[in-house]
Amino acid sequence: AQTVTQSQPEMSVQEAETVTLSCTYDTSESNYYLFWYKQPPSRQMILVIRQEAYKQQNATENRFSVNFQKAAKSFSLKISDSQLGDTAMYFCAFMWNNAGNMLTFGGGTRLMVKP
Amino acid sequence: GAVVSQHPSWVICKSGTSVKIECRSLDFQATTMFWYRQFPKQSLMLMATSNEGSKATYEQGVEKDKFLINHASLTLSTLTVTSAHPEDSSFYICSATGRTSGNLDTQYFGPGTRLTVL
């Protein structure tokens, strides 16, 4: 079974600064996807970034980028130039290709961006 | 693209009544839909997976007779909480995967439904 661990229950960052959220996972599979989802106070789950395991290049989406270390089974999210609207719960998630698109979520990291 | 809607966003009902929650994929065909339950300050807990035209697959510990799931079309899945009790009060979220303009292997989430059972 796959597991996803987010070791930082809560984090805070000053507006305009950079913050990195950690995520590790455990799997014996080689083909899979990794995701970061954001859940703001509205509770709408929003896809932040997606990474295919077979791609060595780290995914980026504007101010969001990941550091994907496949051998170490690590998938951290870096948020640059943090904005107040980035305040949210962030979930790391794992999807195995042969599991019918099911997601395994980490416990989440609550990020507070301070003005 | 890849928009998922949920209705209602908030429902209050009396104990013993049934409540239906709808989940729709608005701009893509959802071959698979998922239903989650989320308690305050916790992660999402998968309740069941439904594929269009077939019976839902429930996770261990989820009562299939209490949480009825129907996925009758490629754009609609419904979750019915039967004979609801206060302990069923929670935030229910659906998600969908399928053929979108984006990625096939990505779950897109609805905005959630807050259920309060009095």
Side-chain angles (χ1 to χ4, degrees), chain A residues 33 37 39 44 50 101 106, chain B residues 38 43 97 105-107 109 111:
Chain A
Y33 301 92
Y37 284 92
Q39 188 179 40
Q44 166 78 62
R50 176 180 184 270
N101 293 344
Chain B
Q38 186 180 32
S43 189
T97 62
D105 299 310
T106 298
Q107 285 191 27
F109 287 81

Side-chain angles (χ1 to χ4, degrees), chain B:
Chain B
V3 178
V4 177
S5 70
Q6 234 177 291
H7 179 80
S9 57
W10 194 7
V11 57
I12 301 174
C13 70
K14 293 183 179 180
S15 184
T17 61
S18 294
V19 174
K20 179 183 285 188
I21 302 170
E22 291 187 349
C23 178
R24 294 182 184 272
S25 56
L26 298 185
D27 53 1
F28 68 101
Q29 293 184 327
T31 51
T32 305
M33 286 185 166
F34 303 85
W35 287 95
Y36 295 87
R37 186 171 178 175
Q38 186 180 32
F39 293 102
K41 298 186 178 181
Q42 293 188 22
S43 189
L44 281 69
M45 181 185 76
L46 180 65
M47 299 174 66
T49 303
S50 72
N51 293 295
E52 186 264 340
S54 60
K55 290 184 178 180
T57 301
Y58 291 82
E59 294 300 300
Q60 191 173 7
V62 178
E63 298 175 60
K64 63 179 181 181
D65 294 330
K66 180 164 191 63
F67 298 100
L68 300 179
I69 291 171
N70 183 277
H71 191 167
S73 76
L74 283 172
T75 59
L76 174 65
S77 176
T78 59
L79 167 68
T80 301
V81 183
T82 63
S83 186
H85 290 284
E87 57 266 30
D88 299 323
S89 297
S90 191
F91 192 66
Y92 293 89
I93 308 174
C94 73
S95 70
T97 62
R99 297 202 169 273
T100 74
S101 58
N103 300 303
L104 296 176
D105 299 310
T106 298
Q107 285 191 27
Y108 296 95
F109 287 81
T113 297
R114 177 173 296 192
L115 171 63
T116 301
V117 185
L118 302 177

Side-chain angles (χ1 to χ4, degrees), chain A residues 11-13 19 21 79 86-88 90 109-113:
Chain A
M11 294 190 72
S12 63
V13 63
V19 64
L21 309 184
I79 306 174
D86 296 334
T87 292
Y90 287 81
T109 295
R110 185 172 302 277
L111 176 67
M112 173 74 72
V113 180

